[in-house]
Amino acid sequence: MNRTIGIILLVIGIAMLIWTGFTYTKKEKIVDAGPIQISADRQKTVNWPPYAGGILVIGGIILLVTSKKTT
């Protein structure tokens, strides 16, 4: 089980180091006056620090190294 979690952490950590965030579009209402509605598309950005990916990579490596091998 620890080996699987270690691999998952390693993959997520590497992905976080490569892509430091993502952007998505959200539709927001600007004016809502009865039958008249005006909306606009707004871009939102989600970023995370690169050291978070590094911590996940290190944690994944530690779990892989310390996990018991079953044969």
Side-chain angles (χ1 to χ4, degrees), residues 10-44:
L10 192 60
V11 169
I12 292 173
I14 290 171
M16 286 179 72
L17 287 173
I18 293 171
W19 296 286
T20 58
F22 62 92
T23 303
Y24 65 95
T25 304
K26 183 178 180 183
K27 188 174 289 274
E28 294 182 355
K29 286 186 181 180
I30 304 296
V31 175
D32 188 8
I36 300 172
Q37 294 182 359
I38 301 173
S39 60
D41 291 337
R42 304 280 180 164
Q43 285 192 346
K44 304 285 185 172

Side-chain angles (χ1 to χ4, degrees), residues 1-4 62-71:
M1 183 68 181
N2 284 342
R3 187 174 184 94
T4 305
I62 290 172
L63 279 176
L64 284 174
V65 169
T66 60
S67 66
K68 295 180 181 179
K69 293 187 177 185
T70 57
T71 54

